Amino acid sequence: MKICHNRANTYRNFLSNEQGSAVIEYVLLAIPLFLAIYLFLGNFAKLSDSELVAQTLVRESLRAYVLSPNFATANFRAKETLFQLAQIEGLRKAEIDSMIINFSCNKFPCLSKEGRIKATLEMISTAENRKIRVSAEEIVSPWKWTY
């Protein structure tokens, strides 16, 4: 009987001992918080990456548009630059097919000296399943048309 009593006391002492409880509280409380933060930051990084890729694409396409020798080739050059860079950036075929770029000008013809051109790119990011819309503006150099 004395052996059972000693075991019962040992078991009671073990349960009432609070040594190591801080570690258990840390594991139970902090790990889920770190997991949530980790998931949030990973998702935010994906969204930021998609936005940055879209910004790069619209800027480079606009640059190709502005540097074109005439209005007839400007649209073709800009779209060709857009699709080539999209492939280089590693976009999926569905994302490339969803891209729509529009150019608006404040002067006519569009490539007039000191004209302001705005390019707007819309695309659907398949990774986040959302629509991305970015734009860029550029001014046609007054020195472009001087010979």
Side-chain angles (χ1 to χ4, degrees):
M1 189 65 130
K2 194 170 185 171
I3 294 174
C4 289
H5 183 66
N6 285 342
R7 284 188 184 174
N9 283 339
T10 305
Y11 186 66
R12 257 189 253 124
N13 287 340
F14 177 74
L15 290 178
S16 64
N17 187 359
E18 292 190 17
Q19 189 175 7
S21 64
V23 172
I24 293 172
E25 288 175 8
Y26 176 78
V27 168
L28 292 176
L29 295 175
I31 298 289
L33 289 174
F34 286 135
L35 183 63
I37 290 170
Y38 177 75
L39 292 174
F40 172 75
L41 290 177
N43 192 28
F44 184 74
K46 282 183 193 175
L47 293 173
S48 297
D49 183 52
S50 297
E51 293 277 341
L52 288 173
V53 167
Q55 281 284 342
T56 301
L57 292 174
V58 75
R59 261 196 331 266
E60 293 299 324
S61 296
L62 180 59
R63 194 77 189 132
Y65 188 94
V66 169
L67 292 176
S68 298
N70 55 44
F71 183 70
T73 61
N75 216 5
F76 173 77
R77 282 185 172 197
K79 287 186 178 181
E80 187 64 27
T81 302
L82 176 68
F83 293 124
Q84 290 291 327
L85 282 175
Q87 289 176 349
I88 291 170
E89 288 287 342
L91 295 181
R92 296 177 180 94
K93 183 171 177 6
E95 292 172 324
I96 294 173
D97 292 342
S98 73
M99 290 190 302
I100 299 171
I101 190 163
N102 294 313
F103 298 96
S104 60
C105 312
N106 71 339
K107 290 187 175 184
F108 185 80
C110 204
L111 294 174
S112 300
K113 178 168 109 172
E114 295 182 3
R116 182 180 299 270
I117 302 172
K118 181 179 181 179
T120 305
L121 173 67
E122 291 182 3
M123 64 180 277
I124 296 173
S125 174
T126 56
E128 297 88 36
N129 198 19
R130 69 183 195 97
K131 189 175 190 177
I132 298 173
R133 186 170 195 254
V134 292
S135 60
E137 285 190 22
E138 196 160 325
I139 298 174
V140 179
S141 171
W143 313 111
K144 180 179 178 181
W145 304 110
T146 355
Y147 297 108

